[in-house]
Amino acid sequence: MGVRPHLSPKAGRRRPGGGGRGRGWARPEQGPDPHPRPAPDPHPRPAPESLTYFRRALEALKETPETGEERELLIRNVLKELETQAVALATDRAGSGMLQELLSSSPPGPLRRLLAALLPHLRLVACHRSGAHVLQSVMLQLPRFPEALAKKDEGDVKDGEPETLEELIMKLASEVRDALVLYSGDTHGSFVVRTLLQVLGGTVLESEIARPRGPQSLGGHRAPVREWKPASFEVPDTFLSCLQELSSCFLKDISVFITDKISSFCLQIALQVLHRKLPKTCARLCGSVIKYLSTRNSSADGSPLLLFLRDQTSSRLLEQVLLVSEPPQLQSLFEDHFQGQLQALASHPIANFPLQRFLDAITTPQLLSQVFEELSPALEAVLAQGHAGVVIALVGACRKVGTHQAQILQLLLEAFHCAEPLSRQVACVPLFGSLTAYEVYYGLEEEDVPSEHKLEVAAAQPLREVTVPGSLLLQHLLHFSTFGPVLRSLTSMEGPQLLALAQSPTGSHVLDAVLTSSTVTNKQRRKILRPLKGHYVALACSRHGSRVLDAIWNEAALGTRKEIAAELGEQNQELMRDPFGHHVARNVALGTFLKRRGDWEQQQGAVAKRRKALSTILGD
């Protein structure tokens, strides 16, 4: 796979003495504590009537239209009413969740006023579990109205309040910049820093959009995920200048951002944003990171950088550096640090992950040839060590660059013990998909002379579970310019085996690749998918199989559509009782097919003509 679970930054830490902060301990009778600890200042608490008012306002909000002046006026009035308790609400579990719910559809004016109320208490709010989510939510609303950054809502401006949203964000960025190490190193403050970097760069990363945020509201539900999902938006030049200044601040304390687990994530986000908006700045920052790491403690194995590739924290940062590096930088990295070490890195439990990212980043035939020559002899050994992600990344690089495809396919056949005799090659898809060697898959004893493959035995063998890495491997191979053994293996599969592949959560994506690959011809597709005839109902009533059937339907000619509809129509009642089958029946207009065949054929014919015309236009 190539994906590691992110460990909790402070997981597993225990206090000396083992206990839970003194709970259950009896203090010896020896007088007062000579070093008493001052009690921490409690966070301000919102007034109970404010939370009650908030609840009622949210209920009223549900009754108003999703857009329009009425909704905006309600949100404006609610946030204005609660402005004096902004900090208390933001740092309260329930208040934070309700604030985020309002912010998701707030106009710019109330956002400006709320941010202005929170900024004087930035450290308290940003480093608070609930408060950090409110600040994130405020900043992540800006892509909805970038034109309002430099404007003030006349209905919300008071005397002595000159700040626009742009000025407020700049003020927030200034304070974060002056205490970057503090905010980046705090568990909650680091999220604020990461969001700020994205907003300054006008780039909201997909990973940040998809993640649900914030505590649960009083009803037990999280604040709704935003419907807008922009990849980028326009920002003023002042934001980009500030982003450039922040990148310089990372260099001042580079050792902290390389070694601290929490702070390191902020530098990783900065690299991603800079790569999209300020590539030259990104290249300088990458160069500084590599230069710093290359001058640390020497390694007996070669470059000092190799030590950091094996470290849990710094290796993650290096993964991001590799992904945003330009081809000349990658070539230099290989020649100065990686060359001669690839097999050792591939076998290491941590270093194999940055090696995967290095392979993902390769775009030039020259570098791929050098890497392939060094790494390819160890393919079977790497698979045996359980580091299939390295092999998949190398196969993906061959697919992307377009070289060494026949060579790596032959090496894979050898690694799975199905290259010789030639009859075994027809079994490669089940072997690749399950990441299992031929003898293990078919329960054979190791032999000096490999036995011939027996088709009748293979046909009776149920398909083993397709692993995620195995599915990814097959998807890459199906996009190769030549993939003869894979094609022959797919066309040899019996109907039940192909049905099992289509119904598998991971295997279904292999058939997606069959349908979308530009190197698989229509004739080859029909030959591969033909055994599914007679199994369309079983496909339609499966969560993943129904999605495959939809994809087949979308690509099918009129004659094939008639066959599918006729087979489904024989068990129409069963389809209508099944939630997935019901969807498929609606997609194929099965009711029209059964009752008004002529109308159905006319509709489907018109669809086929439109698709053909569109493909002609796109082809031109």
Side-chain angles (χ1 to χ4, degrees):
M1 280 275 293
V3 179
R4 292 181 290 184
H6 286 280
L7 303 177
S8 175
K10 297 183 180 179
R13 290 189 181 180
R14 298 178 64 87
R15 290 177 173 270
R21 299 175 182 263
R23 184 172 294 181
W25 294 79
R27 178 181 293 278
E29 296 182 2
Q30 55 182 18
D33 188 343
H35 303 289
R37 296 182 180 179
D41 294 329
H43 291 289
R45 303 289 297 174
E49 56 270 21
S50 297
L51 293 176
T52 302
Y53 172 76
F54 226 148
R55 289 191 195 94
R56 292 175 179 171
L58 289 175
E59 289 298 324
L61 192 65
K62 293 176 183 177
E63 304 298 326
T64 61
E66 292 188 3
T67 57
E69 293 184 5
E70 182 182 356
R71 188 179 187 86
E72 286 196 9
L73 183 62
L74 176 59
I75 294 173
R76 191 188 306 276
N77 289 339
V78 171
L79 291 177
K80 190 172 183 179
E81 183 73 23
L82 299 173
E83 184 181 327
T84 56
Q85 295 199 57
V87 175
L89 288 166
T91 54
D92 177 77
R93 180 182 175 87
S96 170
M98 291 189 286
L99 268 176
Q100 292 176 71
E101 199 165 338
L102 276 180
L103 292 173
S104 64
S105 54
S106 171
L111 279 179
R112 185 186 66 80
R113 295 183 62 81
L114 178 63
L115 185 56
L118 296 176
L119 276 181
H121 313 277
L122 181 60
R123 188 167 300 186
L124 169 67
V125 178
C127 297
H128 187 275
R129 178 180 182 180
S130 301
H133 290 302
V134 173
L135 282 172
Q136 281 184 282
S137 293
V138 171
M139 288 188 282
L140 287 170
Q141 304 312 311
L142 301 187
R144 291 198 288 122
F145 31 73
E147 70 284 349
L149 286 173
K151 298 178 182 178
K152 289 181 279 190
D153 190 323
E154 294 181 0
D156 280 315
V157 175
K158 293 180 180 179
D159 293 338
E161 288 188 357
E163 291 100 346
T164 61
L165 269 171
E166 178 183 347
E167 292 168 336
L168 289 169
I169 293 294
M170 291 296 292
K171 186 180 289 187
L172 186 157
S174 176
E175 182 162 339
V176 167
R177 181 190 59 211
D178 293 341
L180 184 59
V181 172
L182 183 148
Y183 286 108
S184 298
D186 182 83
T187 302
H188 310 297
S190 67
F191 285 97
V192 175
V193 176
R194 285 145 66 176
T195 305
L196 175 64
L197 290 166
Q198 295 172 72
V199 169
L200 291 175
T203 299
V204 182
L205 302 174
E206 184 180 354
S207 59
E208 298 296 304
I209 295 171
R211 184 189 303 120
R213 284 183 174 78
Q216 293 182 343
S217 62
L218 291 183
H221 303 289
R222 289 189 182 276
V225 179
R226 300 171 307 284
E227 293 183 0
W228 50 271
K229 295 184 177 182
S232 62
F233 59 100
E234 292 297 322
V235 292
D237 292 339
T238 53
F239 278 21
L240 294 177
S241 299
C242 187
L243 177 63
Q244 200 153 14
E245 290 178 15
L246 274 171
S247 70
S248 301
C249 294
F250 283 112
L251 294 176
K252 293 178 183 177
D253 297 283
I254 190 68
S255 61
V256 174
F257 292 102
I258 287 173
T259 56
D260 183 75
K261 291 181 180 179
I262 303 175
S263 303
S264 177
F265 286 125
C266 295
L267 180 50
Q268 292 172 47
I269 293 294
L271 289 171
Q272 294 180 57
V273 175
L274 289 168
H275 180 61
R276 288 165 172 79
K277 290 292 183 175
L278 300 170
K280 291 183 179 179
T281 303
C282 179
R284 286 196 296 270
L285 187 54
C286 287
S288 298
V289 170
I290 295 298
K291 182 178 179 181
Y292 176 84
L293 294 178
S294 302
T295 56
R296 298 300 95 190
N297 298 329
S298 61
S299 167
D301 298 330
S303 165
L305 190 67
L306 300 177
L307 292 174
F308 295 95
L309 287 169
R310 299 182 176 106
D311 176 72
Q312 186 74 38
T313 299
S314 57
S315 66
R316 292 187 184 278
L317 175 60
L318 284 169
E319 286 182 40
Q320 196 56 59
V321 169
L322 292 166
L323 285 173
V324 300
S325 293
E326 297 298 326
Q329 287 180 305
L330 286 175
Q331 185 70 43
S332 298
L333 274 169
F334 174 74
E335 294 173 357
D336 297 340
H337 306 285
F338 292 174
Q339 196 164 22
Q341 302 293 330
L342 295 186
Q343 293 189 20
L345 295 175
S347 64
H348 192 273
I350 294 175
N352 81 89
F353 291 101
L355 175 58
Q356 291 176 47
R357 302 292 77 78
F358 174 69
L359 295 170
D360 290 340
I362 293 176
T363 57
T364 61
Q366 177 189 351
L367 180 56
L368 179 58
S369 294
Q370 293 174 287
V371 170
F372 188 87
E373 182 180 357
E374 182 177 336
L375 196 55
S376 58
L379 226 59
E380 185 172 355
V382 173
L383 286 168
Q385 291 164 337
H387 298 166
V390 174
V391 176
I392 293 165
L394 182 59
V395 174
C398 293
R399 168 190 169 183
K400 179 171 56 180
V401 179
T403 59
H404 301 287
Q405 294 182 356
Q407 293 169 270
I408 199 164
L409 179 53
Q410 180 63 30
L411 289 170
L412 286 170
L413 293 171
E414 294 172 3
F416 285 87
H417 304 171
C418 60
E420 296 290 342
L422 291 177
S423 61
R424 285 192 174 193
Q425 293 187 8
V426 78
C428 69
V429 166
L431 303 182
F432 292 170
S434 61
L435 293 182
T436 309
Y438 186 92
E439 294 82 6
V440 177
Y441 192 95
Y442 291 104
L444 304 177
E445 296 293 334
E446 292 284 350
E447 301 174 358
D448 293 335
V449 180
S451 60
E452 294 283 344
H453 182 69
K454 298 178 181 178
L455 287 175
E456 63 277 7
V457 175
Q461 179 96 3
L463 187 73
R464 287 199 182 189
E465 179 184 359
V466 177
T467 65
V468 173
S471 175
L472 292 172
L473 176 60
L474 286 169
Q475 290 173 58
H476 282 316
L477 293 174
L478 282 165
H479 285 85
F480 275 17
S481 58
T482 55
F483 50 90
V486 178
L487 177 62
R488 290 192 294 273
S489 182
L490 280 170
T491 53
S492 73
M493 295 177 72
E494 299 291 330
Q497 294 173 323
L498 201 62
L499 175 63
L501 186 68
Q503 291 177 326
S504 164
T506 51
S508 60
H509 294 291
V510 176
L511 293 181
D512 288 341
V514 170
L515 290 163
T516 58
S517 172
S518 60
T519 57
V520 180
T521 66
N522 289 332
K523 183 178 179 180
Q524 290 169 338
R525 286 192 187 97
R526 288 194 295 270
K527 191 174 181 180
I528 292 170
L529 300 172
R530 189 177 299 142
L532 287 175
K533 187 177 180 180
H535 299 280
Y536 292 140
V537 174
L539 271 181
C541 295
S542 161
R543 175 186 294 273
H544 303 286
S546 61
R547 186 181 57 77
V548 171
L549 185 56
D550 282 342
I552 293 172
W553 176 267
N554 291 335
E555 298 297 325
L558 181 57
T560 305
R561 288 191 172 197
K562 288 181 182 179
E563 291 179 359
I564 294 174
E567 185 176 322
L568 295 177
E570 293 174 1
Q571 299 187 50
N572 182 44
Q573 294 302 318
E574 180 181 344
L575 286 177
M576 298 308 292
R577 287 193 297 268
D578 185 89
F580 305 111
H582 179 80
H583 161 78
V584 171
R586 183 178 56 192
N587 189 40
V588 305
L590 195 57
T592 306
F593 176 83
L594 295 173
K595 297 175 183 177
R596 301 189 304 279
R597 180 73 62 90
D599 292 346
W600 183 90
E601 290 186 4
Q602 187 176 3
Q603 292 171 1
Q604 297 302 318
V607 170
K609 287 180 181 178
R610 286 197 299 269
R611 189 170 67 248
K612 185 177 180 180
L614 181 61
S615 64
T616 302
I617 294 171
L618 294 176
D620 293 340

